[in-house]
Structures are given as C-alpha cells and as structure tokens.
Amino acid sequence: MKTILITGAAGFIGGNLTLKLLKEKIFAKVIGLDNMNDYYDVNLKKYRLKLIEEAAENFSGSWKFYRGDLSDKNFILKIFEENRPTHVVNLAAQAGIRDSFENPDAYIQSNITGFFYVLEACKNFGVEHFIYASSSSIYGGNKKIPFSTSDRVDKPISLYAATKKSDELLAYCYSNLYKIPATGLRFFTVYGAAGRPDMAYFKFTNKLLRGEEIQIYNFGNCARDFTFIDDVIEGLCRVIDKPPKNSPPHKIYNLGRGEPVNLLDFVNILQEELIRAEVLPADYDFEAHKKFLPAQPGDVPITFADMNEFERDFDFHPTTSLREGLKKFVAWYKNFYCEKI
Ligand SMILES: NC(=O)c1ccc[n+]([C@@H]2O[C@H](COP(=O)([O-])OP(=O)(O)OC[C@H]3O[C@@H](n4cnc5c(N)ncnc54)[C@H](O)[C@@H]3O)[C@@H](O)[C@H]2O)c1
C-alpha cells in the first residue's frame, strides 16, 4: 500500500500538494505533519488544513495530520513507525531570506536538524522516494543566466540559502551511503492563492489596501522567476513517482517558470489586477505609496531557472503567466479578506 508523508502540510506548497493528492487519489494514505508555527498568520495554515479535511471527506481519502516539530526526533520516529511511508515529501522548513538575519536559530533547527531527522527516518525505515524542497536562493549572486543545476553554488549570501545548500549535501550523502532514492527541487518564487504573506505579492497587496507604503528594493532593478503554485504542484506530482535510477540515486532539478519578470513590471501587473477585481479603486495613487530603497542583505539581482533537465525527464514546463496567476491570487484575496469586511 502506497503511503505518502508530506511535511509542512499546512504550509503553502505542502497544503496544495496534499489537496491534489487527495483529489486525485494517487496514494492509499496521505499523512501530513506541521508544527503550525506563527512565522506568519496561523489562520492561513488552519484554513489550508480545513480545505484538506473537506477534500479528504469529499474524495473518501485516508488523511491523517500530526502536529509537531521536525526537530523532535521521537515525534518523527513515531510517525514513521505508525505509517511506514513509501514516499516522503519534505516541505517543512523555516522559509524566508530576510528573517534568517533576525532569527537564525529557527533556520538551523528546522532546516538542518529537522531535515537530518527526516533523512535518518528514511534510512531506518526505507522509502521508495524522498523528495525535498531546495531553493533558487542557493544560486546567490550567480552572474550566469539562466541558472543551471550544473552551476557552482557554494557562495550562499544568506543563512537560509546556506541551510538549503546543506540539505542538498545531506541528501546526496544519505542517498550515496544508504541508496535512498532522493530528488531535490529548487523552487523559484512560488506564488498563488492562500500563499505566504511574507512574500512581495501578498505583502504589497496587504500594504496597499491599508494605505501603507510598499518597499521596492534595489530601486526596482531586479527580476524574479515567478512560478505559479498550480504549476509547481503539477511538477511535484510528476516527480513523486519517478525516483532517480542513477547511482547514487540522487538528482537535483530547478522547478521554475524560466521567464524572469522585472520587479516594476510585476508591481504594475499586480496594480492592474487589484483594480480590475475592484480590490482597490481605479484612481488609487500607487506612485504615492511606493518607496524606492537600496538592495537589502541577501537580495539577488535576478532568479532565472534553466528548465531543460526538468522538461527532459518529466515532460513538463510551467505555463501560467504572471498576469494569469496574479489574477487568481487577487480573486482569492478578495474573497478571503475583503468580502468578509
Ligand atoms: N514559496 C516559495 O517561493 C519557495 C521558494 C523556494 C523554496 N521554498 C521551500 O519550499 C518549502 C515550502 O515552502 P512554503 O512556501 O510552502 O512555506 P510555508 O512556510 O508556507 O510552509 C512550510 C510549513 O512548514 C511548517 N514548519 C516549519 N518548520 C517546521 C518544523 N520545524 N516542524 C514542523 N513543521 C514546520 C510551517 O508551519 C509551514 O506550515 C520550504 O522548504 C521552502 O523553503 C519555497
């Protein structure tokens, strides 16, 4: 019987993956784990869990949720003992670049110690495939674009990036030593409905609605490879049942749209969609709410995924345009926050 464990199941990517797996009945049992921390509004995590519970009921899926911390070794062992997962998707992590300067301990605890305990459990219980989240941030100030997984990535410019690079090394090591089939996915600025409020598209929307200023760093001279959540979930689903066959059985892929968008263009599209959805009035003075600032520590000028390897191995390329994706985000935002007021 195929059982999948998703860590960070109440999170943005984990919640959406869990929903999709339950709807498509890909696994006989879906197990989720999350510590429900308050890095951002816990109500969003509760909302995602509610949608998951409804989906489990509607699609008669076998769903079980465990609340606890990755860095609690006994907790992880208990979940593996009780469920014997055949597949593990490790999405739980302390995310965010800026916060890693303020709260470094959380990054080491979740992304290094916690990651290690999940790997140990995979070693001790044996899994068919271990999939884990890495990040485009590990490319740091890479000058060569697009970013390829064959580029050297040993100069992280934030602790967050350093922990993600460390995860890739730990996973490679365990895959090599214990033959654990493992795939690391470097995600690129994932956005969408019920996303993360610490990310620019969500934060800017909140601030503009409150009449506050939005901070545009590096005076707008940067570009991000925005990747819509549904595309990321589709990509993840294609990876789950295709463990690497090479030796050692470890592979790393980029999973991004491969079309960076300039920050100011992104802000313009967001503005237009907020007006179109009548979240903000047509005469909103956006210019008066923009503050242009220098780059912050940890900021990189561009992220840009080379998707050739992913396309070759999984026959998939993200297709959702930034406008289409932001339109969906804004529609969700309006329904979730504005209609209740
Ligand atoms: N969203 C992006 O743009 C993006 C980009 C690159 C990489 N990633 C990575 O993808 C993964 C998922 O990101 P997300 O955007 O869904 O973030 P998220 O913060 O929404 O989800 C992570 C979830 O993990 C949980 N968690 C954190 N530490 C934990 C711990 N120690 N024990 C148990 N649960 C814990 C949190 O409560 C949260 O619900 C993360 O590993 C992140 O680093 C995300």
Side-chain angles (χ1 to χ4, degrees):
M1 186 167 80
K2 285 198 173 181
T3 298
I4 191 161
L5 167 65
I6 299 160
T7 76
F12 176 38
I13 302 176
N16 278 286
L17 176 65
T18 307
L19 274 178
K20 169 100 167 178
L21 294 176
L22 284 169
K23 282 180 187 162
E24 308 227 326
K25 300 183 181 242
I26 298 170
F27 286 85
K29 266 171 82 182
V30 181
I31 312 298
L33 164 179
D34 205 295
N35 67 1
M36 304 294 282
N37 69 52
D38 63 358
Y39 167 62
Y40 61 76
D41 186 3
V42 179
N43 286 321
L44 271 173
K45 299 183 183 183
K46 289 183 182 160
Y47 165 76
R48 298 187 192 116
L49 284 183
K50 192 169 143 267
L51 294 182
I52 291 170
E53 269 148 31
E54 284 167 8
E57 239 171 65
N58 292 342
F59 299 95
S60 333
S62 172
W63 158 249
K64 192 164 182 191
F65 178 70
Y66 291 82
R67 182 174 180 165
D69 204 288
L70 279 196
S71 64
D72 178 347
K73 192 174 186 175
N74 290 331
F75 170 69
I76 299 298
L77 281 178
K78 176 177 159 270
I79 295 178
F80 272 75
E81 256 161 25
E82 285 180 10
N83 301 286
R84 310 264 162 181
T86 51
H87 295 68
V88 175
V89 186
N90 190 62
L91 297 167
Q94 182 52 54
I97 293 170
R98 299 237 161 83
D99 197 55
S100 69
F101 294 93
E102 311 298 325
N103 296 304
D105 296 39
Y107 288 77
I108 299 299
Q109 186 182 336
S110 296
N111 306 5
I112 304 281
T113 308
F115 188 88
F116 164 66
Y117 288 151
V118 176
L119 265 181
E120 268 285 288
C122 289
K123 176 189 90 180
N124 292 330
F125 289 85
V127 293
E128 290 174 27
H129 198 184
F130 171 64
I131 300 114
Y132 64 96
S134 185
S135 165
S136 61
S137 63
I138 69 165
Y139 288 106
N142 207 20
K143 295 273 183 295
K144 181 195 138 284
I145 50 169
F147 297 168
S148 160
T149 50
S150 56
D151 295 345
R152 266 186 87 160
V153 283
D154 49 11
K155 292 192 170 59
I157 59 169
S158 68
L159 181 67
Y160 171 66
T163 62
K164 289 292 176 182
K165 174 66 188 170
S166 308
D167 289 348
E168 291 186 354
L169 291 172
L170 291 172
Y172 174 87
C173 174
Y174 266 52
S175 173
N176 190 22
L177 290 174
Y178 309 114
K179 309 298 166 233
I180 302 169
T183 304
L185 296 173
R186 293 178 181 167
F187 297 135
F188 284 69
T189 319
V190 188
Y191 72 101
R196 276 188 17 222
D198 60 322
M199 293 181 69
Y201 67 99
F202 204 135
K203 201 162 50 181
F204 286 2
T205 304
N206 280 338
K207 288 194 168 195
L208 290 168
L209 217 77
R210 291 196 294 253
E212 295 170 9
E213 259 175 3
I214 59 172
Q215 277 80 33
I216 298 181
Y217 292 111
N218 205 21
F219 305 101
N221 293 318
C222 59
R224 289 290 174 273
D225 200 350
F226 293 95
T227 313
F228 189 57
I229 182 71
D230 292 5
D231 288 330
V232 170
I233 300 305
E234 178 60 32
L236 257 167
C237 286
R238 288 180 186 233
V239 169
I240 284 173
D241 234 359
K242 263 188 136 185
K245 299 261 186 281
N246 48 313
S247 179
H250 179 259
K251 287 281 283 178
I252 292 171
Y253 295 92
N254 289 330
L255 180 45
R257 176 153 152 75
E259 277 186 38
V261 177
N262 182 276
L263 185 58
L264 296 181
D265 293 336
F266 147 73
V267 173
N268 277 337
I269 298 174
L270 180 63
Q271 289 175 192
E272 286 165 10
E273 293 308 321
L274 287 169
I275 291 173
R276 194 199 304 272
E278 296 176 351
V279 170
L280 290 175
D283 61 354
Y284 192 94
D285 187 357
F286 288 102
E287 294 318 307
H289 291 89
K290 285 179 191 162
K291 189 166 191 182
F292 291 87
L293 295 165
Q296 298 284 292
D299 280 354
V300 297
I302 187 167
T303 62
F304 186 171
D306 179 336
M307 281 291 288
N308 282 330
E309 286 194 350
F310 196 94
E311 275 175 48
R312 183 197 62 207
D313 291 355
F314 305 106
D315 192 24
F316 175 72
H317 189 110
T319 50
T320 312
S321 69
L322 183 60
R323 183 176 296 281
E324 227 179 303
L326 282 179
K327 193 178 285 186
K328 288 185 179 159
F329 163 70
V330 170
W332 168 82
Y333 186 97
K334 183 178 178 182
N335 184 266
F336 193 76
Y337 290 110
C338 310
E339 315 257 287
K340 291 180 193 158
I341 297 168

